[in-house]
Structure formats: structure tokens, C-alpha cells
Amino acid sequence: MEQHKHTDSHGHGHSHVGHGHVHATGNIATAFFLNTVFALIELVGGILTNSVAILSDALHDFGDSLSLGAAWYFQKKSQQGKTHSYTYGYQRFSLLGAFINSIVLIVGSVFIIKESVQRLFHPEEANYKGMLLLAILGIFVNGIAMLRLNKGDSINEKVVSLHFLEDVLGWVAVLIGSLIMMFFHAPVIDPILSLLIASFVLFNIYKNIKPAFKIILQGTPSDVSAVDIKQLCLVNKDILDVHDVKLWSLDGSHHVVSMHIVVNSNINLKEAEHLKENIKKQLKEVNISHATIEVEFDPGHSPL
């Protein structure tokens, strides 16, 4: 739910929300409510059918709901702009949502895995007819959400639609498992499905939390490097050198850089300031939302 923001001379953020942004937010809000209601249905259904596979998928769906809800909340929070307490704004608050979400999912996954391992050695009968009905409902509901979001134009809609595709595939697995149990006495299939789903959830947690840790530790963003920035600056013939480049990310999408540029001694202070502004415009094209540039003149000479 990325949005272009402009800041006036007093430092207050102004948000310009287009029709596409409103439509995308509406789609994601619909997906959030649909996903949460269905996760509750799954939770009740998993208990009634005695199926750990369905409980595992309920955990997966609650995880998606937490992600969607956190993204929705922190997107609104980030629109407040910068304050005296948070001079960079609230973009990094989205990472807080990612960490909370991950902790909840890890605790839930450990519980599900523990229960599933016990059932591998002591299988319990699951209500395969109830599982079959829930699987059909799951494919239908998640399929509708996936198709609606996939028609959207924003990157966020496309990414969220992939989550629903994963859910559809998970329910297809439950459907196949319930059909097998309908014709063969194989209660062990339910905990096996549960372990597969829980493992998939843990893999996704690792995949999502790894870049979040890098951002917290102020690592270099994955989509732009210090070398890229140096090359971008050195295209200008008045810039002789670029050094002391410090590059980090606020939230994975909005990046910050501070650097020193050495300029030709033939240019004056006004031209140097104009050069800085041009560089900042170029940097915005590679997701650098804030740049601090220190100008140094060619050693041994003074600016005019």
C-alpha cells in the first residue's frame, strides 16, 4: 500500500491518495475480513472434525489475517508523517507488525507440530466428511479472494493474492487427504498433512523475518547498493569523487543515504547546491527517500 508523500517547508507530511490506492486498500480490507471470518470457521471446524490438518490451516489463515491487519494499521500510521518523537515518520512500525506476527505463528506452529507428532504414533480418527466439506468451502472462499486481488493493479494486491493461492493449494491437499481417508482407513494422513502445513508456515516466517532483521541491523537494502549510488553520482562531470557512503533502509521500501561528494573547484556554492538537489531527485528514482549530502571542494582550491 505504498503511497507518494510530499513534505512542506515546515516538515509536515501531506498524503496524496489516488483512486487506485483507495481501491487497493478496499480490496485488502475485504481480504482481511474474509480471511479472518473463514479462519474462525476453520478453528471451529478443526475442533469439530478432530483434524489437526484443518487446525494447522486455521493457524496459517490467522497468520495471514495478522499480516493483513498489521499492514493495514501501520499503513495508516505511516501516513501521519514525521513527529518530534519519530523524525523519520512511522514507516518502520510495519516491522513491529512483522515481529509480532512471527512470534504468534511460531508459538502456534510449535503447538501444532507437537500435537501432530503425537498423532503420528497414536493416530486418531478425524471426521473426513467434515474435512471434505470444509476443504470445498476453503477452495471456494480463498479462490474468490485470490481472483479479486489478482485483478488489482497494485503490487500489494498481487502479493496478497499469492497468500490466497497458497491457501487454495493447502485446501486442495486437505481435500485429497479427506478423499483418501474416505476410501481407505488411513488416519495417519491427517497429522502428516498438518506437519506439512506447519512446516510451510515456519518456512514463510523465516523467509519474511530474515530481511526484517537486516533492516533492524541497518544492513544495505537488497535493491540498491553503495556502488550503485557512487556510479549514479559520478556520471556528473563536476563530481570528482564520492566517499563515506552510509546506506540503510527504513522499512525495506524507503531507503536513507548519507555521503560526501568531492566537486570541481570551478563551481560556486550556488551551483554546488543545485547539484545536490539534482542528485537527490535521481536518488528518489532508486527508492532513496532521504539523502544527506556533504559537499567537499577539490582539495587545495576554494570555491568562488
Side-chain angles (χ1 to χ4, degrees):
M1 288 172 281
E2 191 175 325
Q3 165 177 347
H4 298 292
K5 300 183 74 181
H6 301 282
T7 306
D8 62 21
S9 58
H10 301 289
H12 301 296
H14 297 290
S15 300
H16 297 276
V17 185
H19 174 72
H21 175 81
V22 173
H23 187 261
T25 305
N27 273 349
I28 291 173
T30 301
F32 166 73
F33 286 115
L34 191 65
N35 205 70
T36 304
V37 169
F38 190 68
L40 290 168
I41 293 170
E42 279 183 281
L43 181 63
V44 174
I47 294 167
L48 292 177
T49 58
N50 195 32
S51 170
V52 282
I54 288 176
L55 287 174
S56 297
D57 210 84
L59 175 71
H60 183 199
D61 276 354
F62 273 123
D64 283 348
S65 290
L66 280 170
S67 296
L68 288 165
W72 194 15
Y73 171 76
F74 288 120
Q75 172 63 17
K76 288 185 177 181
K77 192 76 175 169
S78 70
Q79 291 168 18
Q80 291 180 13
K82 53 192 179 183
T83 64
H84 293 297
S85 299
Y86 297 96
T87 53
Y88 273 120
Y90 290 84
Q91 285 98 329
R92 194 166 274 194
F93 272 53
S94 60
L95 296 179
L96 181 62
F99 280 111
I100 293 170
N101 184 22
S102 298
I103 291 166
V104 170
L105 287 178
I106 288 169
V107 171
S109 295
V110 169
F111 170 77
I112 292 289
I113 288 170
K114 179 175 173 289
E115 182 67 22
S116 300
V117 169
Q118 288 177 347
R119 289 201 185 190
L120 279 175
F121 297 101
H122 305 285
E124 293 183 20
E125 290 289 341
N127 184 337
Y128 54 82
K129 288 181 180 177
M131 287 176 67
L132 182 68
L133 290 173
L134 278 169
I136 292 168
L137 183 62
I139 292 168
F140 179 72
V141 172
N142 287 288
I144 288 173
M146 180 190 72
L147 291 172
R148 176 167 178 172
L149 287 162
N150 201 41
K151 288 177 181 176
D153 298 321
S154 76
I155 294 171
N156 276 300
E157 287 171 287
K158 301 291 185 187
V159 170
V160 175
S161 76
L162 288 176
H163 281 292
F164 283 101
L165 174 61
E166 291 167 0
D167 288 342
V168 169
L169 294 175
W171 279 113
V172 168
V174 172
L175 178 69
I176 293 168
S178 62
L179 285 171
I180 292 171
M181 285 188 284
M182 191 177 289
F183 296 102
F184 302 96
H185 184 261
V188 76
I189 285 175
D190 183 58
I192 289 172
L193 283 172
S194 175
L195 286 171
L196 289 172
I197 295 167
S199 300
F200 177 72
V201 171
L202 288 173
F203 171 73
N204 274 330
I205 292 169
Y206 169 76
K207 191 173 69 174
N208 292 327
I209 212 69
K210 187 180 176 183
F213 270 116
K214 188 178 180 183
I215 293 166
I216 290 292
L217 296 172
Q218 292 191 316
T220 305
S222 57
D223 58 339
V224 63
S225 69
V227 174
D228 295 332
I229 288 171
K230 283 184 179 182
Q231 288 175 344
L232 184 147
C233 293
L234 290 171
V235 168
N236 193 302
K237 58 180 174 54
D238 288 319
I239 298 176
L240 306 177
D241 186 35
V242 181
H243 62 94
D244 202 22
V245 178
K246 300 290 190 298
L247 175 64
W248 67 99
S249 184
L250 285 175
D251 60 357
S253 299
H254 304 86
H255 312 320
V256 180
V257 70
S258 70
M259 61 182 172
H260 290 229
I261 60 171
V262 180
V263 301
N264 197 313
S265 60
N266 294 327
I267 70 172
N268 57 37
L269 290 172
K270 188 175 181 181
E271 289 170 334
E273 194 62 32
H274 183 67
L275 182 61
K276 275 174 58 175
E277 292 306 311
N278 282 338
I279 292 170
K280 287 181 180 180
K281 285 178 184 176
Q282 289 178 292
L283 289 172
K284 284 189 183 294
E285 294 177 9
V286 289
N287 296 328
I288 306 294
S289 57
H290 183 83
T292 302
I293 304 170
E294 184 76 24
V295 177
E296 298 174 8
F297 289 87
D298 193 11
H301 298 79
S302 299
L304 298 174

